[in-house]
Amino acid sequence: MTGRSLDVHRLSRESLRAIAAGRASDADLHLLRSTQRSQLLLVLRALLEHAEEASGRARRRGGVPSAHEAWRLLGLAQREAPEAVESVLTDPAVMAWATRLLRRLGGSDGTPSPVPLWADLGQFQALAAAAAARARIPAVLRVPAHRGTVWMPGLGVAGPVARRRWSEAEVRVERDGAVVRGELAVVELPRLPAGEAPGWRPLRVLGALAPHTTGSVAGRGPWLDTVTPYRDFMRHPKSPGRLAGRRAQLWEDRLAEAYAVLDRESPADAAALRALVRAFVPRPFQTARGGLVASASSVDSFGAITLSLPYDATQTAAVLVHETRHQQLNALLTVVRLVQAPDDVPGGPRTPRLYYAPWRSDPRPALGLLHGLYAFSGAARFWRIHRRHVTGTEAERADFEFAVLREQLQEAVTPLVTQSGLTEAGHLFVDGIAALVREWQQDDVPAVPGRLARDYCLLRRALWRARHLEIGQADAARCAAAWTAGDPAPAVPPSVLRPRPELVRLDTFGPLARYRLSAPDRFARERRQAEGGADPARRAEYAVVAGDARRAERCYREVTERDPRNVEAWIGAALAVPARTRETGSAILLDRPEVVAGVCRAVAASGSGFPDPFHLAAWLGGAVSGPARTDRSVRVDD
């Protein structure tokens, strides 16, 4: 389609180091973007080769319109108005549609598609129709319509022009305009893509956020996508949503403010964002308050970010930096392998090893851990810079975010370097991130944000271990027998991974810590409300965040009196003890809660009652002897 010979994408070691450190040049960003365009063209070409055979299986009355004819029209548009084709192909939803369809035709799509095969193949016509409409090339095309809505990639959607779930519509393009005609209605497209017209729902272009340089993304600036059928990373097709009036303006203002923050404080991140991100897909998520934002990128939708509305410009900027890092890594991985595949290690394990990712509640493979490491190193650098630009509660909030991330990054980078099976390029990449993380450990953080950050990281690690690790039954029984006999504790046994996603719950400590720092009056008010409630665990968590150790201990005791087996309450109670006075039992409960839980269960199963977890933890650490006469063992049903 391009009329040019194919280039080979090459990445130098210097560029790999620069990308790892967040210093990608314009040339590096252009390379990353070019790899994705090349990948899309390869996918489209592969689809074209399979289209005729697949059309024969579609069993559509009247047949499936020729993908080859659509391809020829795209080639004509490329020659007459290449910018029209670019505006279509750089719509992230095109890659999402194409890669999913290719997997479907190749039989590697794990679940049946809800889209009829004829309609999936027919989107080739939608690509050609959108390019012809932009270039004003006369053409008549038959295109699929989902619930009467016709997709025009890079432009928007027209309709509804029919009532049925799936139907066919006609797009007629003339030199003076384009019309979409269905069995129910006719929609005349406006001359300007973002213009208003009955039945036309354009992508909402964010003109103020357009790239600054000619080397950035071609075509119009980034947009809000609430209409494209392939905008959802998990489910497609999706009907157009509603985002109008004040809500749409709020999104536009919030994004513009975030871009301004990055332009002012972190130009390198601003350049990467403008170069790589084309679409923002709003999603509902009611708990963005307190720092929780739902956001994601997908390897199938390069250039698109889906996110819930962050609560201010600073949080939005941090999320955009984080997701832009995912975009960079997704593109980078099409050029160079960073993690070894199972086949690279003769005799190695066939299933990927899983790791603790400090920012996740579930175990992650090496590639997932690498993605998190790279994305959160970008966010950490943003908060590190931002805290120099602000004062008061905003500075405390930035201190907390930076302190949390640098500790989590330090913990995550070690297994990647030593255990994960990185390639040579992967080691070079991770070493660059590790050097930054080591440098950040020297930065001073004020006392209160620093204490909350340490507690938060301790809590997340301990909860993850309690949920996903366990000791063997034989080890637990041996420890239980020694405890019951009053013998010294044997060596603390090793733990094995047993992922249990059903135990994962939404994080609440992080939002409370952020409230305490950035909105102390609100934190105090909500703490008073929690004190009047019936949930002692909630009261205890507020007390821990407030630094009220005595109140936290009383509340956690109330929880454990109701449920002596509540491991998460043990962890909370151990966390409530100030670090400077934390004894062996508390330290063991935070460091190896799964061992304490396993031995406690084994002791109870032996008929000796359920032991006090702090006493047993101290025994495991060698600080006390076995059960004393005053040990608070209780009888519970097993």
Side-chain angles (χ1 to χ4, degrees):
M1 183 186 298
T2 63
R4 301 190 302 268
S5 60
L6 292 177
D7 294 327
V8 177
H9 299 293
R10 293 184 175 89
L11 185 77
S12 68
R13 294 171 69 90
E14 291 72 21
S15 290
L16 186 62
R17 290 191 186 98
I19 294 169
R23 295 183 285 100
S25 66
D26 288 344
D28 295 332
L29 296 172
H30 176 74
L31 172 65
L32 295 178
R33 196 170 62 249
S34 296
T35 65
Q36 296 304 286
R37 188 184 190 283
S38 297
Q39 179 169 291
L40 175 60
L41 291 177
L42 289 172
V43 170
L44 290 175
R45 185 66 191 181
L47 286 177
L48 195 65
E49 293 174 356
H50 289 85
E52 185 174 351
E53 185 275 332
S55 296
R57 293 189 280 114
R59 300 178 182 177
R60 170 72 175 167
R61 180 179 296 179
V64 179
S66 170
H68 290 270
E69 290 297 326
W71 189 259
R72 280 191 282 271
L73 181 55
L74 280 168
L76 175 61
Q78 173 74 18
R79 293 189 294 274
E80 294 195 8
E83 70 283 354
V85 177
E86 285 301 296
S87 72
V88 171
L89 297 186
T90 53
D91 183 341
V94 173
M95 182 178 280
W97 158 75
T99 52
R100 291 169 184 171
L101 177 55
L102 185 60
R103 285 196 292 267
R104 179 181 185 179
L105 297 182
S108 60
D109 197 353
T111 57
S113 174
V115 183
L117 182 56
W118 70 263
D120 232 353
L121 292 166
Q123 298 296 8
F124 255 120
Q125 311 297 311
L127 268 64
R134 286 291 301 267
R136 297 302 185 207
I137 297 175
V140 179
L141 300 105
R142 292 156 52 201
V143 297
H146 174 240
R147 300 191 185 279
T149 299
V150 171
W151 176 38
M152 301 287 281
L155 297 174
V157 297
V161 297
R163 289 195 180 93
R164 287 177 291 160
R165 180 176 177 83
W166 287 101
S167 59
E168 199 171 64
E170 177 188 271
V171 176
R172 183 177 294 272
V173 182
E174 304 290 352
R175 291 293 183 186
D176 59 350
V179 171
V180 178
R181 186 185 306 275
E183 60 192 26
L184 186 66
V186 175
V187 175
E188 184 175 342
L189 272 60
R191 292 194 64 84
L192 296 176
E196 299 292 333
W200 174 244
R201 299 186 63 179
L203 297 164
R204 186 182 178 99
V205 178
L206 308 173
L209 310 185
H212 288 161
T213 65
T214 56
S216 298
V217 179
R220 299 179 294 162
W223 55 62
L224 287 175
D225 184 358
T226 60
V227 298
T228 299
Y230 296 92
R231 68 190 185 275
D232 191 289
F233 296 164
M234 303 299 294
R235 180 171 62 90
H236 70 281
K238 193 170 184 178
S239 298
R242 297 273 176 199
L243 187 68
R246 294 177 60 185
R247 187 70 176 172
Q249 191 60 51
L250 178 59
W251 269 95
E252 188 163 352
D253 292 346
R254 189 67 46 82
L255 288 168
E257 292 164 359
Y259 271 63
V261 170
L262 294 176
D263 284 335
R264 182 173 62 250
E265 299 179 10
S266 189
D269 290 320
L273 173 63
R274 282 191 163 90
L276 302 179
V277 175
R278 190 72 185 270
F280 300 103
V281 181
R283 62 186 293 182
F285 189 63
Q286 299 304 315
T287 52
R289 52 196 289 268
L292 295 179
V293 175
S295 68
S297 296
S298 171
V299 68
D300 286 348
S301 299
F302 177 75
I305 293 174
T306 179
L307 72 163
S308 56
L309 181 65
Y311 66 88
D312 66 7
T314 306
Q315 187 190 42
T316 308
V319 171
L320 295 184
V321 170
H322 174 99
E323 294 301 337
T324 302
R325 286 295 186 95
H326 282 305
Q327 302 283 334
Q328 291 184 67
L329 188 53
N330 281 334
L332 182 64
L333 289 169
T334 64
V335 184
V336 59
R337 288 175 57 190
L338 301 179
V339 177
Q340 293 177 349
D343 292 341
D344 293 339
V345 184
R350 308 309 300 169
T351 57
R353 181 173 179 173
L354 299 178
Y355 299 88
Y356 170 52
W359 37 80
R360 295 276 301 213
S361 297
D362 56 335
R364 302 290 286 163
L367 183 57
L369 185 59
L370 177 61
H371 257 287
L373 180 72
Y374 186 54
F376 281 106
S377 67
R381 187 182 70 168
F382 166 77
W383 287 112
R384 182 175 187 251
I385 295 171
H386 182 65
R387 67 196 195 119
R388 305 171 192 162
H389 292 261
V390 289
T391 59
T393 56
E394 179 69 5
E396 289 202 326
R397 169 191 173 193
D399 289 331
F400 171 77
E401 302 292 356
F402 169 67
V404 166
L405 290 175
R406 73 170 176 180
E407 181 167 339
Q408 292 180 334
L409 291 165
Q410 180 67 34
E411 186 162 19
V413 77
T414 301
L416 272 178
V417 170
T418 60
Q419 305 170 25
S420 64
L422 298 176
T423 64
E424 180 183 355
H427 277 291
L428 187 66
F429 188 78
V430 171
D431 287 347
I433 301 173
L436 291 175
V437 174
R438 286 194 299 271
E439 176 187 336
W440 295 343
Q441 304 306 312
Q442 308 305 314
D443 288 10
D444 291 328
V445 173
V448 173
R451 191 270 297 177
L452 287 172
R454 287 189 297 273
D455 284 354
Y456 183 43
C457 293
L458 268 174
L459 178 64
R460 287 190 64 85
R461 185 186 309 115
L463 291 177
W464 187 92
R465 294 188 69 94
R467 292 164 179 169
H468 301 303
L469 295 179
E470 62 181 21
I471 59 173
Q473 291 184 352
D475 288 329
R478 184 168 57 254
C479 290
W483 163 267
T484 304
D487 295 337
V492 176
S495 301
V496 295
L497 181 67
R498 182 190 170 197
R500 288 180 287 186
E502 72 279 3
L503 298 182
V504 173
R505 294 181 292 108
L506 192 65
D507 168 42
T508 55
F509 185 99
L512 291 185
R514 293 178 177 97
Y515 271 150
R516 185 190 170 186
L517 296 171
S518 61
D521 292 341
R522 182 172 185 174
F523 174 81
R525 182 172 64 253
E526 294 191 358
R527 185 186 178 192
R528 289 193 295 271
Q529 293 173 353
E531 285 292 337
D535 184 358
R538 188 68 170 161
R539 297 196 301 271
E541 197 164 41
Y542 270 100
V544 172
V545 172
D548 187 346
R550 290 185 178 181
R551 179 60 178 159
E553 194 276 334
R554 287 196 297 270
C555 292
Y556 278 123
R557 187 187 308 132
E558 184 179 344
V559 175
T560 55
E561 285 174 353
R562 297 180 183 180
D563 180 10
R565 295 176 181 265
N566 190 325
V567 181
E568 297 191 8
W570 309 348
I571 293 170
L575 186 71
V577 178
R580 65 182 181 277
T581 61
R582 206 167 277 156
E583 297 178 348
T584 301
S586 296
I588 292 287
L589 270 168
L590 292 173
D591 188 48
R592 302 290 303 280
E594 75 283 3
V595 176
V596 181
V599 177
C600 281
R601 287 193 293 267
V603 170
S606 71
S608 300
F610 200 87
D612 179 278
F614 278 86
H615 191 171
L616 188 140
W619 171 75
L620 285 169
V624 297
S625 60
R629 296 177 184 273
T630 57
D631 181 60
R632 293 179 295 167
S633 298
V634 294
R635 295 285 178 178
V636 295
D637 294 331
D638 289 330

